[in-house]
Amino acid sequence: MSLKLPDPDKRIPYLRYAFALAVAYAAIFIAAQSFVLSGQRYFCLFDDAMVSLRYAENLAKGWGLVWNPDERLEGYTNLLQVLIFAAIRLVFGKVYSILVIQILGVALVLGIAFVTARLFAETSSTKEGRWRLAALVGPLAYFPLLFWSMMGMETGLLTLLLASTMLCLVRYRTSGERKQAWIAAALGALAYLCRPDALLAVLWGIPWLYAASRRRGKVDVVAVAGFAAIVFLMVGGQLAFRVAYYGEWVPNTYLLKMTGFPWPIRVENGLRFVLPFMAEMALVATLAIWAIRRSADRQFGGMVLGIAGTLLAYQIYVGGDAWNYWRMLTPAFPLLWLLAVEGASEFRPAKMAWPALAAALGMVNFHMLPTMAMVHVPGSIRMNAANVQIGLTLKEITDEQASLGVFTAGAIGYYSERRVVDFLGKMDRVIASGQADVSGRAGFGRLITLPGHNKYNLEYSIKQLQPDFIERAHWGGQDLSEWVNEHYTAYGRPFLGGTELTFRLKKGSARFHPERLQAAGLTKPPPAH
């Protein structure tokens, strides 16, 4: 069986089956990440996505694009995603909006696969449906794309916007219709609104339009200038909004990751981060380069390599990432993959192509196999469940003026609905403006330091601000456990599997309802002997 594409002469065999398998796997994965607390099934996104969802919830409630209702601070870098979340939160409520976001993530991946197949049909020299199926399967089978999309990060939306922008640019080259250039510009502008670093990839559209129109005999100045104008209008519009609303020229996340972080160490950290990615992508990149050498469409291939190289260089420049699931590099994969399929289609004998493509998919997914098999999930289901339980419990035992000091801010902040002090600075200007810890004490594995997790000042966050609840008292090179033990009382609460959650509550705080502690299952530990 096959499903027709918009062009009646272009068909992808087994398209329905590929989509059905992807949806079935995603449904199992989403169900496996949910959990039941007190008889209610809960869902939880990746913690950074939960931060975005708290911003979205506050917007849906009419409090504005804020983390805490009484202060304006831009602690997100995905405005378009936050706005979409706000609409979902408004319609579907607190708990089930998370499930809707996860389902939306799956739909985005299906859309990416479809657009990739269309791009392949527009640019490939081969017309056989089996190669279009291979082009479509790649994005469906690339686990980082599915993972980040299902866990609520902007990766899926950004990848779809960039791939769609590329498709419109290719169609402009074919038809010369300015409408395609305008649509590409609008999609590129939305990609920037989805995440500002996408601008580096979107700007490749300017030389593309110049070269494409020149090939037709005359540079289309209107198309080139119009594309640039639309994109930069979005850039200027968001900047004007930021200055007017937040009183800042850059988001707080820029201060957090790009200031107080010496660039030589940042670049070294970035190189250490991307080297495993480059090793995983070696076969895909080799097939892509082979395609460019063999294919007549070298302009398209050159642009794909340019976009991929730009994203890679940017990842190095910002010092890598805290998570080795390549969320900032993933948007380049579908474009590289369709070139890899084109390269494999040139193999002689042709039967060698399929083992090469299978090996390429195996390489790019290999280190994520435990997560794909749901044996291990970053952040872990238990940690998500614990954070949701902590948030729900704190909402029950505190009044609305209580403040919570946390390291994992998203789920606790979303479910507690209380003022949250972010110890790692994403939503704290003081911490974000400080110096990064590059001593190695805030690093992990091969990385010297973890971007976004290497700025902290517990003397300020705990001793000076004294939140009513503290998640824990140590991070990196600082440990305030002794001081916290003196000024906070530790309570325990039974949790899943016979474990216990610890709640450090400020002594003498008027923000707690003492009569609710026991009802919420909190008990003091026995005195030490």
Side-chain angles (χ1 to χ4, degrees):
M1 295 180 65
S2 62
L3 183 66
K4 287 185 178 181
L5 289 171
D7 295 342
D9 62 326
K10 296 176 181 177
R11 300 165 68 91
I12 298 181
Y14 308 112
L15 173 60
R16 290 175 179 172
Y17 300 123
F19 276 8
L21 284 173
V23 170
Y25 174 82
I28 295 170
F29 189 92
I30 291 171
Q33 306 315 304
S34 66
F35 40 85
V36 176
L37 300 174
S38 302
Q40 166 74 51
R41 183 163 295 277
Y42 287 92
F43 305 88
C44 191
L45 307 174
F46 199 76
D47 203 65
D48 282 3
M50 294 299 294
V51 168
S52 299
L53 187 55
R54 174 167 160 127
Y55 271 94
E57 179 177 53
N58 287 339
L59 178 62
K61 288 180 175 179
W63 296 343
L65 273 170
V66 294
W67 174 250
N68 291 316
D70 59 346
E71 63 177 322
R72 292 189 177 184
L73 183 70
E74 189 179 2
Y76 57 85
T77 51
N78 54 343
L79 178 56
L80 180 60
Q81 186 95 335
V82 170
L83 296 176
I84 293 172
F85 281 7
I88 292 173
R89 173 63 182 84
L90 195 62
V91 174
F92 293 98
K94 191 172 190 73
V95 175
Y96 289 102
S97 60
I98 297 176
L99 176 59
V100 173
I101 289 168
Q102 293 186 300
I103 294 171
L104 174 62
V106 179
L108 289 172
V109 174
L110 298 181
I112 292 163
F114 192 82
V115 171
T116 301
R118 294 300 300 142
L119 259 175
F120 186 83
E122 298 274 354
T123 59
S124 174
S125 58
T126 180
K127 304 302 178 185
E128 297 180 55
R130 57 177 179 161
W131 299 116
R132 296 192 186 98
L133 175 64
L136 176 139
V137 165
L140 295 179
Y142 187 49
F143 187 71
L145 180 57
L146 191 59
F147 174 78
W148 290 122
S149 300
M150 288 190 297
M151 297 306 287
M153 299 299 284
E154 70 280 357
T155 307
L157 178 58
L158 178 60
T159 303
L160 179 60
L161 288 170
L162 289 179
S164 300
T165 300
M166 192 70 190
L167 180 60
C168 290
L169 290 173
V170 168
R171 287 177 170 172
Y172 169 82
R173 184 184 62 178
T174 303
S175 66
E177 295 180 3
R178 285 177 180 163
K179 179 179 71 173
Q180 294 295 334
W182 306 149
I183 296 173
L187 291 169
L190 289 175
Y192 167 81
L193 196 65
C194 185
R195 199 169 71 206
D197 55 67
L199 182 65
L200 299 173
V202 171
L203 289 180
W204 279 91
I206 295 175
W208 171 275
L209 290 170
Y210 175 87
S213 63
R214 188 175 182 182
R215 276 181 22 171
R216 304 178 68 87
K218 184 180 180 181
V219 175
D220 190 344
V221 177
V222 174
V224 176
F227 181 93
I230 292 171
V231 171
F232 282 107
L233 183 64
M234 180 66 79
V235 175
Q238 187 180 14
L239 178 61
F241 168 75
R242 178 181 296 125
V243 172
Y245 193 79
Y246 294 109
E248 300 286 349
W249 289 93
V250 295
N252 197 61
T253 48
Y254 176 89
L255 297 177
L256 180 67
K257 294 186 177 182
M258 298 301 294
T259 64
F261 192 173
W263 74 263
I265 298 177
R266 192 173 72 232
V267 170
E268 180 185 352
N269 209 61
L271 284 169
R272 291 188 181 200
F273 178 79
V274 303
L275 285 176
F277 172 80
M278 295 172 69
E280 291 177 7
M281 294 293 294
L283 184 51
V284 171
T286 300
L287 292 172
I289 292 171
W290 173 256
I292 294 172
R293 287 179 61 86
R294 299 275 298 182
S295 171
D297 195 356
R298 295 188 176 183
Q299 183 188 6
F300 176 76
M303 184 171 179
V304 169
L305 291 184
I307 290 174
T310 300
L311 294 180
L312 187 68
Y314 178 77
Q315 185 74 90
I316 295 171
Y317 174 69
V318 299
D321 195 20
W323 317 104
N324 64 344
Y325 275 47
W326 323 127
R327 63 189 179 102
M328 295 183 184
L329 298 169
T330 290
F333 177 79
L335 300 177
L336 287 170
W337 176 254
L338 67 87
L339 283 181
V341 173
E342 175 78 4
S345 71
E346 299 285 338
F347 278 15
R348 299 295 181 269
K351 64 181 181 181
M352 296 300 297
W354 299 102
L357 290 174
L361 277 178
M363 285 180 63
V364 297
N365 286 312
F366 182 75
H367 96 274
M368 291 163 278
L369 289 177
T371 309
M372 294 176 68
M374 290 171 255
V375 175
H376 166 73
V377 178
S380 80
I381 304 167
R382 177 173 289 276
M383 182 179 292
N384 286 342
N387 289 335
V388 171
Q389 183 66 79
I390 290 170
L392 292 171
T393 302
L394 289 170
K395 181 180 180 181
E396 182 180 353
I397 66 173
T398 63
D399 63 26
E400 295 182 355
Q401 286 71 46
S403 61
L404 317 177
V406 299
F407 293 97
T408 49
I412 295 176
Y414 180 72
Y415 279 105
S416 69
E417 300 181 13
R418 298 296 183 257
R419 178 180 179 82
V420 174
V421 177
D422 179 14
F423 287 172
L424 294 180
K426 191 172 186 180
M427 281 74 66
D428 190 308
R429 285 191 182 93
V430 174
I431 301 298
S433 302
Q435 295 295 310
D437 182 352
V438 295
S439 66
R441 294 173 298 184
F444 182 78
R446 65 184 179 277
L447 298 185
I448 302 168
T449 187
L450 291 181
H453 299 71
N454 56 10
K455 287 186 177 181
Y456 55 93
N457 183 349
L458 301 186
E459 292 283 339
Y460 160 77
S461 298
I462 294 179
K463 285 189 177 182
Q464 184 174 331
L465 298 183
Q466 296 193 25
D468 299 294
F469 161 86
I470 289 176
E471 184 181 356
R472 60 181 178 272
H474 56 85
W475 189 267
Q478 283 188 304
D479 190 342
L480 269 62
S481 297
E482 185 176 341
W483 188 91
V484 168
N485 290 339
E486 181 181 349
H487 294 83
Y488 287 75
T489 301
Y491 292 81
R493 186 191 192 283
F495 191 55
L496 302 175
T499 58
E500 190 172 71
L501 298 177
T502 300
F503 290 76
R504 299 170 183 83
L505 308 182
K506 184 181 177 184
K507 293 179 181 179
S509 173
R511 306 302 184 193
F512 294 104
H513 302 290
E515 70 280 4
R516 297 183 185 177
L517 296 182
Q518 186 174 359
L522 270 65
T523 57
K524 289 184 181 180
H529 295 289

